[in-house]
Amino acid sequence: MQEMEELVNKEYKYGFVTDIESDSIPAGLSEDVVRLISEKKGEPPFMLEWRLKAYRHWLTMKEPNWENVTYPPIDYQSMVYYSAPKAPKTINSLDEVDPKLRETYEKLGISLTEQKRMSGVAVDAVFDSVSVATTFKESLSKVGIIFCSFSDAVKEHPELIKKYLGSVVPSTDNYFAALNSAVFSDGSFCYIPKGVRCPMELSTYFRINALNTGQFERTLIVAEEGAYVSYLEGCTAPMRDENQLHAAVVELVAAKDAEIKYSTVQNWYAGDKDGKGGIYNFVTKRGKCAGDNAKISWTQVETGSSITWKYPSVILLGDNSVGEFYSVAVVNNRQQADTGTKMIHIGRNTKSTIISKGISAGRGHNTYRGLVKVGPNAANARNYTQCDSMLLGNQCSANTFPYIEVKNTSSSVEHEASTSKIGEDQLFYCKQRGITGENAISMIVNGFAKAVFKNLPMEFAVEAQKLLGVSLEGSVG
Amino acid sequence: MLEIKNLHASVNGKEILKGINLTVNAGEVHAVMGPNGSGKSTLAQVLAGHPAYEVTAGEVIYDGVDLLSLQPEARAQAGIFLAFQYPVEIPGVSNSYFLKTGLNEIRKSKGLEELDAMQFLKLLKQKMQIVEMDPSFINRPVNEGYSGGEKKRNEILQMAVLEPRLAILDETDSGLDIDALQIVAEGVNKLKTPENASIVVTHYQRLLNYIVPDVVHVLVNGRIVKSGGKELALELEEKGYDFIKDEIAAAEVA
Ligand SMILES: Nc1ncnc2c1ncn2[C@@H]1O[C@H](COP(=O)(O)OP(=O)(O)OP(=O)(O)O)[C@@H](O)[C@H]1O
Ligand SMILES: [Mg+2]
């Protein structure tokens, strides 16, 4: 099995740094810093109040340590909480975006110029702490869809923000969510009015650039009655020797008959092969099926970060509502992932599906942690969980922690789990048919993850498959 | 075409092949028979380059090159095909994608143009018809959930698509119904050209009614103890392996 242990020496493709002048505040966190961030963003008083409440609560909280990952203590005072590329105050058209920034996104495969935009996909580009551009804003607004940076939303749609911000993930929810609520700098806001089917994929592309800067963004997506939206999130960061914290919050609200599909292709810098550097990705993602027949589906492909710690969850409040979680998590070298989901069944006939595929290589640690909770009123609730782990080599590990709490006799919860080793025999079989080692590994792994990939929007499924190949490149000698 | 000289191989430190000598010329079909556990599959796997087997002595020359120095994929690209005794399942990977990738890598290594999806599908369908496989197998995952016979038939399909120069069939006839047996035989016979060769490992003389071997070898305890014409297979079927073992014992005493 030696050839499988010689893992990943492939360069991270997105590890470059953009040399751009930025407006940063000094490192450290205090009430003054929270006020300063709010002031820099020109926020209305309600927003500042909300942040301060979160900050004061955060001070009373302790960093959690129950997750199955290890890392040195994070020094919250050495971190910079706000960094924005210096830019003219107002930008009238996307073509006025700083060319260096445009170039950065171009290199990442995201075009922000008016002529060359990805057809059929609207993008909100977030660079360090702020949104630098949002495409297709106007054409979307014609059908009543609001798609803009969080900062703009706070100013232009305060009534919606007041109503929905923190309605799914309260500012006091957990340590990192509270921290995010206090200092979040930007993110995306998306509102689909009643009965509207969003005509294109919406996406946010997160890019961390500045050194020693934490990225704390928020995404809020609201789908009103009967609305539909498919949303994609992509992320990359430069290669740096220092760890950087990314503590985001994503809230989804689906009203009656509405559907939200949220897909993530997470490719933050994972650190080098000895585990130096990389992003700590500590994220709170939760959706609420607020009305009857609502549906929320999370699909994630987690290949990056040195530590991933997240549980995209669904609160199934409305009757007949549906929650789905499809996940592929890959760890290689010294990466650690503790990820999974929570499905909270409250309404009647609610249904949830969890498909988790964990792939461990190198000295990676991969943990699936999932909670299925069925409340006393959730008559006929159904859950199906399938949790498969694949190991490449002998130095990696996989763990599964399923938690099940059922307070209702008419419901059914099914759990299947498997662990397989990518067999020398499978690999040999491929090679015997002329398929070279790296292609063989990527074929076997992609086959393993297929049940998840098929839930991604087409273009991204192809991307994700390639990414998986790249993440595991070098797994074969 | 293939020359095996004094080949010794072990697995987990245990010697299985104890000095195999075997020469296969282009245009020939060789049958290898022998009791369970005698090392037939080991020989096949060693020729294909399975990493679990360690070659401790001897050499194998294939088309003038040192076969043992080649990676398994390079051997496949050089025209060596092994129909596995126990075909391996690859969940989530469709038969057509798997085979197309293999064929194109082999073509690429020969400097041939790769087939596009349409061209490949056409070829695949044509070959499937020959081996009488249902088109539903095009998109089914490789060997996953196939019956024993279907797996074997799938090996033959792969052989038909990849058109190897040296085909090694390891008990491809086991578990096949009569119709399938004929298909396997046809598959081998089609490959029988003056440039190609096959090594057919089998327990049953029945197959050899359809594939007429030029030479039959008997492998016992890691050595080829007897070689002969096709009548040897008949004799084995009639008398079992004991008569050979007795012969050897007698020879050793003398
Ligand atoms: N990976 C392995 N680990 C341990 N022993 C092995 C391994 N592979 C083969 N052997 C042993 O080597 C011997 C020869 O096995 P092999 O599969 O080559 O026999 P065979 O002649 O093909 O038998 P059959 O007719 O049953 O297919 C057997 O005793 C077998 O148990
Ligand atoms: Mg055998």
Side-chain angles (χ1 to χ4, degrees):
Chain A
M1 285 321 260
Q2 189 210 344
E3 59 178 333
M4 287 187 199
E5 283 157 20
E6 293 168 2
L7 278 166
V8 166
N9 309 309
K10 182 72 184 177
E11 289 263 326
Y12 177 68
K13 200 168 129 195
Y14 307 109
F16 61 90
V17 178
T18 305
D19 178 19
I20 193 162
E21 217 185 321
S22 59
D23 168 20
S24 301
I25 63 174
L29 184 53
S30 65
E31 211 166 290
D32 285 344
V33 168
V34 175
R35 288 177 193 279
L36 187 59
I37 292 170
S38 189
E39 190 193 305
K40 283 212 174 266
K41 307 188 72 65
E43 288 175 349
F46 86 89
M47 207 55 248
L48 176 62
E49 282 316 305
W50 199 80
R51 287 176 181 278
L52 288 173
K53 187 177 147 236
Y55 177 68
R56 287 169 194 146
H57 189 81
W58 180 74
L59 289 175
T60 69
M61 299 173 96
K62 274 214 157 52
E63 195 172 328
N65 59 7
W66 47 264
E67 72 277 21
N68 192 22
V69 299
T70 48
Y71 55 92
I74 297 173
D75 179 1
Y76 292 93
Q77 293 306 332
S78 71
M79 216 182 300
V80 175
Y81 289 85
Y82 183 85
S83 173
K86 270 197 182 138
K89 268 267 160 356
T90 48
I91 293 173
N92 297 320
S93 110
L94 287 170
D95 294 330
E96 286 174 27
V97 171
D98 186 314
K100 271 190 185 156
L101 283 177
R102 258 200 333 247
E103 215 174 277
T104 301
Y105 283 90
E106 214 73 58
K107 259 176 153 164
L108 299 169
I110 311 283
S111 184
L112 300 177
T113 38
E114 293 286 356
Q115 311 86 350
K116 284 195 290 183
R117 289 175 307 197
M118 269 196 281
S119 59
V121 182
V123 182
D124 183 24
V126 176
F127 191 87
D128 287 335
S129 302
V130 296
S131 164
V132 291
T134 310
T135 64
F136 287 108
K137 223 166 148 169
E138 270 110 74
S139 46
L140 288 168
S141 76
K142 287 200 183 96
V143 284
I145 294 173
I146 303 168
F147 179 47
C148 63
S149 71
F150 212 98
S151 312
D152 288 349
V154 168
K155 283 176 238 161
E156 290 161 27
H157 310 281
E159 66 303 334
L160 288 173
I161 297 296
K162 269 186 204 157
K163 183 169 175 195
Y164 292 109
L165 179 66
S167 70
V168 187
V169 180
S171 62
T172 53
D173 189 79
N174 67 66
Y175 189 80
F176 293 108
L179 177 62
N180 172 290
S181 302
V183 301
F184 78 91
S185 38
D186 214 336
S188 306
F189 175 69
C190 166
Y191 178 84
I192 318 285
K194 187 172 166 179
V196 172
R197 213 186 143 80
C198 184
M200 61 180 80
E201 303 278 344
L202 300 187
S203 77
T204 303
Y205 196 96
F206 294 108
R207 174 73 180 170
I208 294 180
N209 188 62
L211 186 67
N212 289 334
T213 302
Q215 192 172 39
F216 306 93
E217 84 281 343
R218 287 189 85 94
T219 303
L220 172 59
I221 301 175
V222 179
E224 291 286 20
E225 188 176 328
Y228 168 86
V229 64
S230 168
Y231 200 90
L232 187 110
E233 171 201 307
C235 359
T236 57
M239 288 159 82
R240 294 191 188 281
D241 287 346
E242 298 78 20
N243 295 108
Q244 279 177 286
L245 177 63
H246 172 249
V249 172
V250 177
E251 296 179 277
L252 311 181
V253 182
K256 184 171 179 284
D257 299 318
E259 178 177 353
I260 301 176
K261 260 181 84 126
Y262 193 103
S263 314
T264 305
V265 176
Q266 187 260 107
N267 187 20
W268 293 120
Y269 177 51
D272 70 7
K273 63 184 195 311
D274 301 319
K276 198 163 187 213
I279 303 292
Y280 292 163
N281 190 36
F282 300 162
V283 171
T284 308
K285 290 182 165 175
R286 198 174 301 153
K288 184 160 80 180
C289 287
D292 293 354
N293 312 314
K295 180 175 174 184
I296 288 179
S297 127
W298 298 101
T299 304
Q300 61 172 24
V301 178
E302 304 286 316
T303 64
S305 295
S306 86
I307 303 178
T308 298
W309 187 67
K310 67 182 234 191
Y311 314 91
S313 307
V314 184
I315 301 168
L316 297 152
L317 199 59
D319 290 350
N320 312 314
S321 58
V322 176
E324 295 173 337
F325 174 73
Y326 301 102
S327 168
V328 174
V330 183
V331 291
N332 200 346
N333 297 321
R334 300 263 179 180
Q335 279 177 275
Q336 311 173 57
D338 192 316
T339 182
T341 184
K342 289 187 244 176
M343 292 291 175
I344 314 294
H345 293 257
I346 299 170
R348 283 170 303 164
N349 302 316
T350 45
K351 214 176 108 185
S352 64
T353 304
I354 300 171
I355 309 254
S356 158
K357 303 275 181 175
I359 298 160
S360 317
R363 293 160 182 266
H365 292 290
N366 213 336
T367 299
Y368 167 81
R369 191 186 300 276
L371 169 68
V372 176
K373 195 169 172 174
V374 180
N377 299 323
N380 296 315
R382 298 264 173 283
N383 163 266
Y384 173 75
T385 300
Q386 187 190 335
C387 226
D388 300 319
S389 310
M390 181 178 258
L391 305 176
L392 283 77
N394 298 321
Q395 291 177 296
C396 51
S397 70
N399 289 295
T400 304
F401 300 113
Y403 305 92
I404 298 171
E405 288 171 32
V406 180
K407 298 210 171 74
N408 186 295
T409 50
S410 63
S411 55
S412 90
V413 174
E414 245 183 283
H415 182 91
E416 286 179 32
S418 78
T419 300
S420 57
K421 242 187 161 151
I422 187 168
E424 204 164 54
D425 285 329
Q426 280 181 330
L427 204 53
F428 177 62
Y429 191 69
C430 293
K431 290 181 179 181
Q432 213 307 300
R433 300 308 185 235
I435 303 167
T436 44
E438 266 166 16
N439 287 343
I441 287 258
S442 123
M443 181 183 274
I444 295 167
V445 168
N446 274 305
F448 173 74
K450 193 173 178 178
V452 172
F453 284 158
K454 68 171 198 237
N455 294 295
L456 284 175
M458 183 62 173
E459 312 84 311
F460 300 117
V462 175
E463 253 331 278
Q465 283 188 23
K466 277 198 217 134
L467 193 57
L468 209 55
V470 171
S471 307
L472 294 167
E473 224 162 273
S475 330
V476 181
Chain B
M1 169 154 112
L2 181 75
E3 208 176 335
I4 304 173
K5 290 186 215 157
N6 188 34
L7 183 65
H8 288 252
S10 30
V11 60
N12 298 330
K14 181 182 159 214
E15 180 160 73
I16 314 277
L17 299 183
K18 301 172 182 169
I20 301 273
N21 291 292
L22 178 65
T23 301
V24 178
N25 298 310
E28 292 179 347
V29 174
H30 288 236
V32 176
M33 304 183 80
N36 292 134
S38 58
K40 304 180 297 295
S41 294
T42 303
L43 175 61
Q45 300 275 344
V46 167
L47 292 177
H50 195 295
Y53 299 88
E54 194 198 347
V55 174
T56 50
E59 58 174 349
V60 180
I61 308 295
Y62 170 75
D63 275 343
V65 299
D66 172 15
L67 184 71
L68 301 177
S69 70
L70 299 182
Q71 290 296 314
E73 56 269 42
R75 299 184 197 193
Q77 289 163 1
I80 290 187
F81 178 89
L82 170 61
F84 286 64
Q85 181 174 7
Y86 304 108
V88 179
E89 300 184 357
I90 309 181
V93 177
S94 77
N95 244 332
S96 66
Y97 181 63
F98 175 71
L99 206 43
K100 177 170 162 257
T101 309
L103 179 66
N104 277 336
E105 289 213 34
I106 290 172
R107 289 181 65 94
K108 208 164 64 188
S109 75
K110 292 184 178 147
L112 296 172
E113 211 166 300
E114 295 182 35
L115 298 189
D116 65 27
M118 294 297 282
Q119 291 167 319
F120 176 76
L121 198 64
K122 201 174 145 210
L123 174 78
L124 182 63
K125 282 184 173 162
Q126 183 197 333
K127 300 290 184 184
M128 282 181 106
Q129 220 159 25
I130 298 174
V131 302
E132 293 176 23
M133 255 171 100
D134 191 88
S136 65
F137 283 90
I138 293 174
N139 291 316
R140 278 181 66 175
V142 179
N143 293 324
E144 195 187 26
Y146 294 17
S147 76
E150 285 167 349
K151 283 185 184 170
K152 295 297 176 80
R153 215 182 269 236
N154 199 33
E155 295 291 291
I156 295 305
L157 172 70
Q158 297 184 26
M159 183 176 86
V161 171
L162 300 180
E163 298 183 325
R165 224 161 99 55
L166 175 65
I168 305 164
L169 281 72
D170 191 359
E171 293 197 30
T172 306
D173 55 332
S174 303
L176 287 184
D177 58 44
I178 299 289
D179 291 349
L181 197 66
Q182 291 192 16
I183 288 165
V184 169
E186 270 166 40
V188 174
N189 290 333
K190 273 224 180 66
L191 275 182
K192 193 171 173 179
T193 67
E195 293 82 49
N196 297 339
S198 349
I199 298 173
V200 180
V201 175
T202 182
H203 282 293
Y204 306 105
Q205 118 70 28
R206 192 177 60 167
L207 177 68
L208 304 178
N209 287 335
Y210 302 104
I211 305 173
V212 182
D214 296 288
V215 194
V216 176
H217 305 276
V218 184
L219 192 72
V220 178
N221 195 17
R223 287 193 190 92
I224 291 181
V225 295
K226 199 174 167 86
S227 301
K230 61 177 191 291
E231 10 16 279
L232 181 57
L234 279 168
E235 196 179 355
L236 283 172
E237 183 134 285
E238 204 178 303
K239 303 186 188 166
Y241 291 109
D242 282 346
F243 97 95
I244 290 198
K245 287 180 187 158
D246 292 347
E247 266 184 31
I248 304 167
E252 271 168 13
V253 170

